[in-house]
Amino acid sequence: MVVLANPVLDQISLIKSPDSGDNLPSIPTIDLSSPNSPEAIVRACKEFGFFKITNHPVSMDLVEKLEAEAVKFFALPLLDKEKLGPSSPFGYGSKKIGMNGDVGWLEYLLLAVGSEPFSESSLAFLRDPSSSSFRSALVEYVLSMRKLVCQVLELMADGLQLKQRDTISKLLQGSECDEIFRLNHYPPCPLLQGFNCGLTGFGEHTDPQIVSVLRSNGTSGLQIALKDGRWVSVPSDREAFFINVGDSLQVLTNGRFRSVKHRVIANSLKSRVSMIYFGGPPVAQRIAPLPQLMEEGEQSLYKDFTWGEYKRAAYKSRLGDYRLGPFEL
Ligand SMILES: C=C1C[C@]23C[C@@]1(O)CC[C@H]2[C@@]12CC[C@H](O)[C@@](C)(C(=O)O1)[C@H]2[C@@H]3C(=O)O
Ligand SMILES: O=C(O)CCC(=O)C(=O)O
Ligand SMILES: [Fe+2]
């Protein structure tokens, strides 16, 4: 990793372009309407911790409506966006990620969802009548993410041969769930043209929650790490959703599924806009291997903890830290 001697790019690090795609596996794609999807989901979660879903029921009009609102929001003058206050962690943020010194080439809006999505938002602008179309798109989108996650987690339970289809999905239902929604905007960085490297948009990390559902515009940049440490670029697909296995799902499956390390490299010419729904359980929920999955004599790989305890520890960590480490036995 190198740092460009340019004040605009301050401390954001550069990442050497990964080797060519030869011999790299392609991203698993799950057709939600296929009868084989349960087994395919389980295979993808074990091998990659990541998969793309197609043939989903989410309306593309809704997705595009929210994308247009996000683009409109990010096009506001910086001073107007900064008036929303520093993200701590919720609100508008630029370059700073989290509260422990991480930086990236992006700006974002990070929102706590709440049981009536965004109704108790601490962000005054979302309650303002002038934001009503943005807010209604956000509400509708999050409701459709809840349904999609439920469908995917039920198929996952089928694939794991769990008797009750809602064993995992029920952890993300109910008013106490800890859902987060994030809009990220990675502006183009023309200074990088001609270099054989990319600027870190969002540094490598795993998501702490159970699952995250990501959708982006047509600009690529997302990469995932394979088990052997090689990085693979994820081709963008405006019509698809991408599911990340989070740390909590790794624990629920006693390490059968892996939480996927991922990062975003900023593009030199095109801006990337992504929207991500993070599904976390209620703070009091115990995160421990599902007894139905454990084989005879199998021991938990992890200490006992609640989502609230894990989240508190996660938010004290740096982005790239191995957050599950202190919770392993
Ligand atoms: C550096 C950090 C940003 C983050 C909180 C943390 O301390 C470590 C986890 C980060 C992460 C990654 C996934 C999501 O984008 C996020 C909202 C989350 O729940 O954990 C971010 C946090 C953030 O941006 O505040
Ligand atoms: O913006 C993206 O495409 C991914 C961002 C991400 O991984 C995150 O916000 O946790
Ligand atoms: Fe992430």
mmCIF file of all heavy atoms in Angstrom, residues 262-286:
data_model
loop_
_atom_site.group_PDB
_atom_site.id
_atom_site.type_symbol
_atom_site.label_atom_id
_atom_site.label_comp_id
_atom_site.label_asym_id
_atom_site.label_seq_id
_atom_site.Cartn_x
_atom_site.Cartn_y
_atom_site.Cartn_z
ATOM 1 N N HIS A 262 -14.552 -7.735 2.894
ATOM 2 C CA HIS A 262 -14.795 -7.011 1.651
ATOM 3 C C HIS A 262 -14.274 -5.591 1.758
ATOM 4 O O HIS A 262 -13.987 -5.103 2.858
ATOM 5 C CB HIS A 262 -16.292 -7.053 1.278
ATOM 6 C CG HIS A 262 -17.212 -6.562 2.352
ATOM 7 N ND1 HIS A 262 -17.487 -7.280 3.499
ATOM 8 C CD2 HIS A 262 -17.916 -5.408 2.480
ATOM 9 C CE1 HIS A 262 -18.321 -6.609 4.273
ATOM 10 N NE2 HIS A 262 -18.595 -5.446 3.676
ATOM 11 N N ARG A 263 -14.168 -4.927 0.603
ATOM 12 C CA ARG A 263 -13.685 -3.545 0.557
ATOM 13 C C ARG A 263 -14.185 -2.904 -0.730
ATOM 14 O O ARG A 263 -14.679 -3.606 -1.625
ATOM 15 C CB ARG A 263 -12.152 -3.519 0.616
ATOM 16 C CG ARG A 263 -11.496 -4.120 -0.619
ATOM 17 C CD ARG A 263 -9.969 -4.196 -0.496
ATOM 18 N NE ARG A 263 -9.366 -4.693 -1.730
ATOM 19 C CZ ARG A 263 -8.101 -5.059 -1.850
ATOM 20 N NH1 ARG A 263 -7.297 -5.003 -0.804
ATOM 21 N NH2 ARG A 263 -7.620 -5.473 -3.012
ATOM 22 N N VAL A 264 -14.052 -1.596 -0.819
ATOM 23 C CA VAL A 264 -14.460 -0.898 -2.053
ATOM 24 C C VAL A 264 -13.291 -0.027 -2.523
ATOM 25 O O VAL A 264 -12.671 0.681 -1.729
ATOM 26 C CB VAL A 264 -15.706 -0.008 -1.822
ATOM 27 C CG1 VAL A 264 -16.059 0.760 -3.087
ATOM 28 C CG2 VAL A 264 -16.896 -0.852 -1.375
ATOM 29 N N ILE A 265 -13.008 -0.129 -3.821
ATOM 30 C CA ILE A 265 -11.959 0.698 -4.428
ATOM 31 C C ILE A 265 -12.671 1.780 -5.246
ATOM 32 O O ILE A 265 -13.545 1.464 -6.062
ATOM 33 C CB ILE A 265 -11.089 -0.144 -5.413
ATOM 34 C CG1 ILE A 265 -10.679 -1.481 -4.798
ATOM 35 C CG2 ILE A 265 -9.893 0.655 -5.899
ATOM 36 C CD1 ILE A 265 -9.743 -1.405 -3.650
ATOM 37 N N ALA A 266 -12.293 3.033 -5.016
ATOM 38 C CA ALA A 266 -12.960 4.124 -5.750
ATOM 39 C C ALA A 266 -12.523 4.116 -7.218
ATOM 40 O O ALA A 266 -11.400 3.759 -7.547
ATOM 41 C CB ALA A 266 -12.626 5.457 -5.106
ATOM 42 N N ASN A 267 -13.456 4.516 -8.079
ATOM 43 C CA ASN A 267 -13.225 4.546 -9.518
ATOM 44 C C ASN A 267 -12.625 5.897 -9.905
ATOM 45 O O ASN A 267 -12.932 6.908 -9.285
ATOM 46 C CB ASN A 267 -14.590 4.336 -10.187
ATOM 47 C CG ASN A 267 -14.488 4.039 -11.654
ATOM 48 O OD1 ASN A 267 -14.135 4.891 -12.441
ATOM 49 N ND2 ASN A 267 -14.795 2.806 -12.020
ATOM 50 N N SER A 268 -11.802 5.913 -10.958
ATOM 51 C CA SER A 268 -11.205 7.205 -11.320
ATOM 52 C C SER A 268 -12.170 8.070 -12.130
ATOM 53 O O SER A 268 -12.016 9.274 -12.198
ATOM 54 C CB SER A 268 -9.903 6.993 -12.083
ATOM 55 O OG SER A 268 -10.171 6.272 -13.257
ATOM 56 N N LEU A 269 -13.185 7.453 -12.749
ATOM 57 C CA LEU A 269 -14.045 8.229 -13.649
ATOM 58 C C LEU A 269 -15.515 8.290 -13.265
ATOM 59 O O LEU A 269 -16.200 9.265 -13.575
ATOM 60 C CB LEU A 269 -13.964 7.630 -15.076
ATOM 61 C CG LEU A 269 -12.600 7.705 -15.750
ATOM 62 C CD1 LEU A 269 -12.615 6.914 -17.048
ATOM 63 C CD2 LEU A 269 -12.241 9.163 -16.014
ATOM 64 N N LYS A 270 -16.010 7.233 -12.651
ATOM 65 C CA LYS A 270 -17.466 7.164 -12.403
ATOM 66 C C LYS A 270 -17.766 7.119 -10.915
ATOM 67 O O LYS A 270 -17.021 6.507 -10.151
ATOM 68 C CB LYS A 270 -18.029 5.883 -13.054
ATOM 69 C CG LYS A 270 -18.125 5.962 -14.572
ATOM 70 C CD LYS A 270 -18.197 4.585 -15.167
ATOM 71 C CE LYS A 270 -19.539 3.899 -14.854
ATOM 72 N NZ LYS A 270 -19.469 2.451 -15.170
ATOM 73 N N SER A 271 -18.878 7.715 -10.519
ATOM 74 C CA SER A 271 -19.187 7.627 -9.091
ATOM 75 C C SER A 271 -19.983 6.361 -8.812
ATOM 76 O O SER A 271 -20.730 5.859 -9.660
ATOM 77 C CB SER A 271 -19.918 8.872 -8.604
ATOM 78 O OG SER A 271 -21.114 9.002 -9.278
ATOM 79 N N ARG A 272 -19.769 5.846 -7.628
ATOM 80 C CA ARG A 272 -20.481 4.639 -7.207
ATOM 81 C C ARG A 272 -21.452 5.029 -6.102
ATOM 82 O O ARG A 272 -21.098 5.790 -5.185
ATOM 83 C CB ARG A 272 -19.470 3.615 -6.670
ATOM 84 C CG ARG A 272 -20.107 2.389 -6.020
ATOM 85 C CD ARG A 272 -19.018 1.409 -5.573
ATOM 86 N NE ARG A 272 -19.570 0.357 -4.729
ATOM 87 C CZ ARG A 272 -20.040 -0.805 -5.188
ATOM 88 N NH1 ARG A 272 -20.024 -1.069 -6.478
ATOM 89 N NH2 ARG A 272 -20.525 -1.700 -4.347
ATOM 90 N N VAL A 273 -22.675 4.537 -6.223
ATOM 91 C CA VAL A 273 -23.659 4.761 -5.160
ATOM 92 C C VAL A 273 -24.136 3.385 -4.720
ATOM 93 O O VAL A 273 -24.555 2.571 -5.541
ATOM 94 C CB VAL A 273 -24.867 5.586 -5.667
ATOM 95 C CG1 VAL A 273 -25.934 5.723 -4.592
ATOM 96 C CG2 VAL A 273 -24.415 6.968 -6.129
ATOM 97 N N SER A 274 -24.033 3.131 -3.420
ATOM 98 C CA SER A 274 -24.501 1.831 -2.947
ATOM 99 C C SER A 274 -25.485 2.045 -1.805
ATOM 100 O O SER A 274 -25.446 3.080 -1.120
ATOM 101 C CB SER A 274 -23.324 0.971 -2.496
ATOM 102 O OG SER A 274 -22.590 1.648 -1.516
ATOM 103 N N MET A 275 -26.386 1.103 -1.647
ATOM 104 C CA MET A 275 -27.323 1.178 -0.541
ATOM 105 C C MET A 275 -27.283 -0.187 0.159
ATOM 106 O O MET A 275 -27.398 -1.224 -0.487
ATOM 107 C CB MET A 275 -28.741 1.520 -1.003
ATOM 108 C CG MET A 275 -29.039 1.334 -2.465
ATOM 109 S SD MET A 275 -30.038 2.680 -3.059
ATOM 110 C CE MET A 275 -31.226 1.736 -4.028
ATOM 111 N N ILE A 276 -27.100 -0.138 1.466
ATOM 112 C CA ILE A 276 -26.895 -1.393 2.190
ATOM 113 C C ILE A 276 -27.804 -1.454 3.411
ATOM 114 O O ILE A 276 -27.844 -0.522 4.213
ATOM 115 C CB ILE A 276 -25.423 -1.543 2.652
ATOM 116 C CG1 ILE A 276 -24.474 -1.337 1.459
ATOM 117 C CG2 ILE A 276 -25.154 -2.938 3.223
ATOM 118 C CD1 ILE A 276 -23.489 -0.290 1.678
ATOM 119 N N TYR A 277 -28.490 -2.589 3.513
ATOM 120 C CA TYR A 277 -29.354 -2.855 4.671
ATOM 121 C C TYR A 277 -28.602 -3.844 5.552
ATOM 122 O O TYR A 277 -28.169 -4.900 5.072
ATOM 123 C CB TYR A 277 -30.673 -3.445 4.164
ATOM 124 C CG TYR A 277 -31.538 -4.053 5.235
ATOM 125 C CD1 TYR A 277 -32.450 -3.277 5.938
ATOM 126 C CD2 TYR A 277 -31.451 -5.408 5.528
ATOM 127 C CE1 TYR A 277 -33.249 -3.843 6.924
ATOM 128 C CE2 TYR A 277 -32.252 -5.983 6.503
ATOM 129 C CZ TYR A 277 -33.146 -5.191 7.197
ATOM 130 O OH TYR A 277 -33.930 -5.751 8.169
ATOM 131 N N PHE A 278 -28.403 -3.503 6.815
ATOM 132 C CA PHE A 278 -27.701 -4.381 7.748
ATOM 133 C C PHE A 278 -28.709 -4.959 8.733
ATOM 134 O O PHE A 278 -29.363 -4.205 9.458
ATOM 135 C CB PHE A 278 -26.648 -3.600 8.540
ATOM 136 C CG PHE A 278 -25.585 -2.963 7.676
ATOM 137 C CD1 PHE A 278 -25.707 -1.650 7.245
ATOM 138 C CD2 PHE A 278 -24.458 -3.679 7.286
ATOM 139 C CE1 PHE A 278 -24.738 -1.059 6.452
ATOM 140 C CE2 PHE A 278 -23.480 -3.098 6.486
ATOM 141 C CZ PHE A 278 -23.626 -1.787 6.070
ATOM 142 N N GLY A 279 -28.828 -6.272 8.752
ATOM 143 C CA GLY A 279 -29.805 -6.918 9.636
ATOM 144 C C GLY A 279 -29.142 -7.402 10.914
ATOM 145 O O GLY A 279 -28.377 -8.363 10.903
ATOM 146 N N GLY A 280 -29.451 -6.707 12.006
ATOM 147 C CA GLY A 280 -28.955 -7.121 13.329
ATOM 148 C C GLY A 280 -30.139 -7.530 14.195
ATOM 149 O O GLY A 280 -31.240 -7.008 14.037
ATOM 150 N N PRO A 281 -29.931 -8.448 15.139
ATOM 151 C CA PRO A 281 -31.026 -8.903 16.017
ATOM 152 C C PRO A 281 -31.244 -7.905 17.162
ATOM 153 O O PRO A 281 -30.495 -6.929 17.275
ATOM 154 C CB PRO A 281 -30.480 -10.223 16.550
ATOM 155 C CG PRO A 281 -28.996 -10.029 16.599
ATOM 156 C CD PRO A 281 -28.653 -9.112 15.440
ATOM 157 N N PRO A 282 -32.205 -8.152 18.052
ATOM 158 C CA PRO A 282 -32.353 -7.290 19.227
ATOM 159 C C PRO A 282 -31.066 -7.297 20.057
ATOM 160 O O PRO A 282 -30.358 -8.320 20.080
ATOM 161 C CB PRO A 282 -33.499 -7.955 20.003
ATOM 162 C CG PRO A 282 -34.254 -8.740 18.989
ATOM 163 C CD PRO A 282 -33.243 -9.201 17.986
ATOM 164 N N VAL A 283 -30.783 -6.191 20.753
ATOM 165 C CA VAL A 283 -29.502 -6.120 21.488
ATOM 166 C C VAL A 283 -29.371 -7.226 22.531
ATOM 167 O O VAL A 283 -28.271 -7.699 22.806
ATOM 168 C CB VAL A 283 -29.257 -4.731 22.147
ATOM 169 C CG1 VAL A 283 -28.884 -3.693 21.119
ATOM 170 C CG2 VAL A 283 -30.425 -4.281 22.969
ATOM 171 N N ALA A 284 -30.497 -7.671 23.103
ATOM 172 C CA ALA A 284 -30.412 -8.696 24.158
ATOM 173 C C ALA A 284 -30.273 -10.112 23.573
ATOM 174 O O ALA A 284 -30.129 -11.080 24.328
ATOM 175 C CB ALA A 284 -31.652 -8.621 25.039
ATOM 176 N N GLN A 285 -30.342 -10.245 22.257
ATOM 177 C CA GLN A 285 -30.288 -11.585 21.650
ATOM 178 C C GLN A 285 -28.934 -12.249 21.903
ATOM 179 O O GLN A 285 -27.885 -11.662 21.626
ATOM 180 C CB GLN A 285 -30.559 -11.470 20.135
ATOM 181 C CG GLN A 285 -30.416 -12.754 19.354
ATOM 182 C CD GLN A 285 -31.461 -13.796 19.748
ATOM 183 O OE1 GLN A 285 -32.649 -13.488 19.814
ATOM 184 N NE2 GLN A 285 -31.010 -15.021 20.013
ATOM 185 N N ARG A 286 -28.987 -13.492 22.391
ATOM 186 C CA ARG A 286 -27.752 -14.248 22.581
ATOM 187 C C ARG A 286 -27.267 -14.716 21.208
ATOM 188 O O ARG A 286 -28.062 -15.227 20.411
ATOM 189 C CB ARG A 286 -28.104 -15.423 23.483
ATOM 190 C CG ARG A 286 -26.975 -16.284 23.851
ATOM 191 C CD ARG A 286 -27.439 -17.270 24.941
ATOM 192 N NE ARG A 286 -26.406 -18.277 25.083
ATOM 193 C CZ ARG A 286 -26.513 -19.506 24.604
ATOM 194 N NH1 ARG A 286 -27.618 -19.888 23.978
ATOM 195 N NH2 ARG A 286 -25.524 -20.356 24.765
#
